Amino acid sequence: MRRRGGWILAAVLAVALFAAPLAAAEKFVVGSKAFTEQLILGKFAAVILRDLGFNVEEKIPLGGTNIVRQALESRQIHGYVEYTGTAATVFFKAKDPFPSGQATYEFVRDQDAPKGLVWLPPMAFNNTYCLMLRAADAERLGISTTSELAAYVNANPKELKFGVTNEFFARPDGLPKLLATYEMKPEPRNLNQMEPGLIYLAVKDGSIDVGTGFTTDGRIRAYNLKVLEDDRNMFPVYNPCFVLHKDILDKHPEIAEPFAKLGALLDEEAITELNYQATEENRAPGEIVEEFLKRHGIIK
């Protein structure tokens, strides 16, 4: 009987051992902000983590910058993709410009380390803010830089209508800094706060003349918009990085490798194309992401 009991115990342990990976699949909650590129980046994270065996819950989208950050700090989510320039200026209130994108990354990485948060290495592209006009209007007015826009606005303060997001209107690397840096004085009533996706359409159809956008948005190409040069280098570098809790990465160091592969592939051309497919070809972000990851061998 003792020998038989040993066999039974061994059999039970063997079953438990083989069942463990599925039964003990850990939960990982992925968040994102609410604009197109963030939906795509959030889906990248969700698909990669699911492929690694995590039980992934998606909060894609979750909300604006501060909402998603607070969710990460309170562990309502376990990771999301954030931009280095956003963290430097919004979370850590950096005032002085950084000499390089790498310096920006190292600053935010080191600031978050004591909080138990890890920034994986930055992805290859820089999605910085920009100002944009209809290409025909930019040519007609002779405006190709933000300094030239400021000079025109100051000479004609009532002429051009602006569209900015609610977040850009108030954040420290947004409208207040833009107006101060370029000494631009538009008519206050010409500053319209709008949803991000509506700004591109409003510039295109002439409802507004100048809009804030993101340099990697596919609608810039689709709508023939002119991105103005930030000739005073006001905006920092905004490299995206996957940010997660250190204890999770310590337990699962395998998370880093697929994100490193993805980050090397996602340059400005690649992410702009994915954004274009989502906004102009009406493809679901999840579908776009899975196709990209499989094509490049990051998931099976």
Side-chain angles (χ1 to χ4, degrees), residues 221-250:
R221 180 184 74 185
Y223 300 166
N224 193 28
L225 305 180
K226 169 70 175 178
V227 171
L228 301 185
E229 178 189 350
D230 176 22
D231 52 305
R232 295 187 183 178
N233 298 313
M234 189 207 98
F235 294 118
V237 172
Y238 295 85
N239 289 129
C241 305
F242 190 60
V243 188
L244 71 162
H245 290 273
K246 183 178 184 297
D247 61 313
I248 297 176
L249 185 61
D250 286 346

Side-chain angles (χ1 to χ4, degrees), residues 27-33 57-63 65 67-81 117 242-245 248:
K27 185 176 181 179
F28 197 112
V29 185
V30 177
S32 85
K33 305 180 197 184
E57 178 184 341
E58 298 182 14
K59 293 188 177 181
I60 304 171
L62 178 58
T65 294
I67 290 173
V68 182
R69 171 69 182 198
Q70 289 167 9
L72 179 69
E73 291 184 351
S74 62
R75 294 190 85 102
Q76 296 175 57
I77 63 172
H78 301 125
Y80 80 106
V81 177
L117 299 175
F242 190 60
V243 188
L244 71 162
H245 290 273
I248 297 176

Side-chain angles (χ1 to χ4, degrees), residues 4 30 34 47 52 81 92 138 162 196 209 230 236 238 247 265 290:
R4 184 181 177 188
V30 177
V47 172
L52 290 172
V81 177
F92 307 128
F162 285 70
D209 304 293
D230 176 22
Y238 295 85
D247 61 313
L265 291 167
E290 287 212 24

Side-chain angles (χ1 to χ4, degrees), residues 99-277:
S100 66
Q102 181 65 22
T104 311
Y105 166 71
E106 291 173 359
F107 172 76
V108 298
R109 178 198 64 191
D110 295 347
Q111 289 289 310
D112 259 344
K115 300 180 177 71
L117 299 175
V118 176
W119 287 68
L120 295 185
M123 298 179 187
F125 73 90
N126 172 26
N127 181 12
T128 188
Y129 277 114
C130 65
L131 295 181
M132 52 195 183
L133 290 79
R134 290 176 293 279
D137 287 351
E139 183 176 359
R140 175 175 57 83
L141 298 174
I143 296 174
S144 61
T145 69
T146 308
S147 289
E148 290 170 346
L149 173 66
Y152 187 88
V153 167
N154 292 344
N156 307 274
K158 297 181 179 181
E159 184 175 332
L160 300 182
K161 295 180 181 179
F162 285 70
V164 302
T165 66
N166 296 335
E167 190 171 298
F168 187 86
F169 188 85
R171 57 187 276 171
D173 58 341
L175 186 65
K177 185 177 180 182
L178 175 72
L179 298 183
T181 300
Y182 285 97
E183 302 174 277
M184 193 186 315
K185 300 175 182 178
E187 185 77 20
R189 64 183 179 183
N190 281 349
L191 298 173
N192 303 285
Q193 297 183 56
M194 306 173 68
E195 290 298 314
L198 295 178
I199 292 177
Y200 298 90
L201 287 169
V203 176
K204 176 189 175 185
D205 67 20
S207 300
I208 60 175
D209 304 293
V210 183
T212 56
F214 301 107
T215 53
T216 56
D217 197 295
R219 286 168 289 193
I220 292 173
R221 180 184 74 185
Y223 300 166
N224 193 28
L225 305 180
K226 169 70 175 178
V227 171
L228 301 185
E229 178 189 350
D230 176 22
D231 52 305
R232 295 187 183 178
N233 298 313
M234 189 207 98
F235 294 118
V237 172
Y238 295 85
N239 289 129
C241 305
F242 190 60
V243 188
L244 71 162
H245 290 273
K246 183 178 184 297
D247 61 313
I248 297 176
L249 185 61
D250 286 346
K251 188 176 181 180
H252 297 283
E254 68 274 13
I255 289 174
E257 183 179 352
F259 279 97
K261 291 179 179 178
L262 174 65
L265 291 167
L266 279 183
D267 57 13
E268 275 83 358
E269 182 178 356
I271 192 64
T272 300
E273 175 59 28
L274 297 180
N275 287 333
Y276 179 86
Q277 290 178 24

Side-chain angles (χ1 to χ4, degrees), residues 11-49:
V12 170
L13 289 173
V15 170
L17 179 64
F18 284 107
L22 291 177
E26 292 187 40
K27 185 176 181 179
F28 197 112
V29 185
V30 177
S32 85
K33 305 180 197 184
F35 56 91
T36 300
E37 183 172 288
Q38 273 281 303
L39 303 183
I40 291 171
L41 294 175
K43 287 289 186 180
F44 268 125
V47 172
I48 286 173
L49 290 163

